[in-house]
Each structure stands twice: as C-alpha cells, then as structure tokens.
Amino acid sequence: MSTASTQLPEGRYGRSADERADRKLKVVGGALGVILLVLIGWYGYDHIAGTKISAEVITFSASDTEVKVHLEVRKDADAKGYCTLRSQDAEGAEVGRADFRFDQDSSRIDEVLTLRTTAKGTTAELLGCHND
C-alpha cells in the first residue's frame, strides 16, 4: 500500500503561509541590513571628517623652570578649541601640563608656547587637541 501525499498540488492554491512569512522576513532583514550599513558609514565618515583640530610639536627647548614649545595647529577656520601639552623629566615623572586655547579665525596657527614646569623638563609632548 502506498501513503497518500498530504501536500497541496504545486502552484494550484497560491502561496502557502510559510512562503509569505519567509518573504516578509527577507524584506525586513534586507531593510534592517541597509539601515545598519548606512549608520556604520555615517559614523565612520563623521569620525574621520569630523576632526576639526590637529597639531604637531615642531621643536622645543627646555630650561629649569619652563619648556618653550613650537606648536603648529591646523583646524577649520571657525573651529575653537584647545591642545594639551605636557613635559616630563629624565626619569619620566610629569613636571608640567597645560591646556592652550586656539580661538583665532585662521586655519593654520604657528605659535611658540611657554609651558611652566616644576623641574627641568626633557620632553614636550602633545597629548591631544579637542574642539569645543
């Protein structure tokens, strides 16, 4: 004896409920995937292009009570912010730290800054720049 098939004939009665649910899941999953890719792309672009202030220590000279730092700052002309500098002694202990503001309407600022220290500094390190 053979067992009768309980499936409906193919294509005779339209789509089954499972096929409709699978199609909806594919559409929703695709839409969510596209939204996720757009969000990741926007965040990445904003992170890279949103950096408005960067700087570089060109030279420095140290004395017993201060370190003179030649700093070059590049920023958007309308950006305002500050850069943090520090100096360390020969053993690596921090002997000076200060924030220097840059509010000029220029895209490139070239300044010699004076960082006061508690002992003779042997380094001038740029810790970072931040916009307001």
Side-chain angles (χ1 to χ4, degrees), residues 5-65:
S5 174
T6 58
Q7 291 184 338
L8 298 175
E10 185 88 22
R12 188 166 184 183
Y13 297 102
R15 289 186 173 173
S16 72
D18 287 342
E19 288 175 336
R20 284 191 294 272
D22 286 347
R23 178 171 162 77
K24 285 180 185 178
L25 283 174
K26 286 179 185 176
V27 170
V28 169
L32 289 175
V34 167
I35 290 170
L36 181 64
L37 285 175
V38 168
L39 286 174
I40 290 171
W42 175 78
Y43 177 76
Y45 174 78
D46 185 56
H47 182 71
I48 292 170
T51 304
K52 293 187 177 188
I53 297 178
S54 64
E56 179 180 7
V57 173
I58 305 299
T59 61
F60 71 92
S61 63
S63 69
D64 289 338
T65 59

Side-chain angles (χ1 to χ4, degrees), residues 76-127:
D76 293 343
D78 59 344
K80 297 180 187 316
Y82 63 94
C83 292
T84 304
L85 293 171
R86 83 169 174 180
S87 182
Q88 295 175 314
D89 65 9
E91 287 80 38
E94 185 175 285
V95 294
R97 178 188 290 243
D99 292 333
F100 295 96
R101 291 205 54 79
F102 298 100
D103 296 332
Q104 298 92 328
D105 288 333
S106 175
S107 62
R108 185 177 173 275
I109 301 166
D110 204 7
E111 281 191 31
V112 176
L113 306 167
T114 302
L115 175 63
R116 284 187 256 152
T117 60
T118 58
K120 183 170 176 90
T122 58
T123 65
E125 182 180 4
L126 175 66
L127 296 179

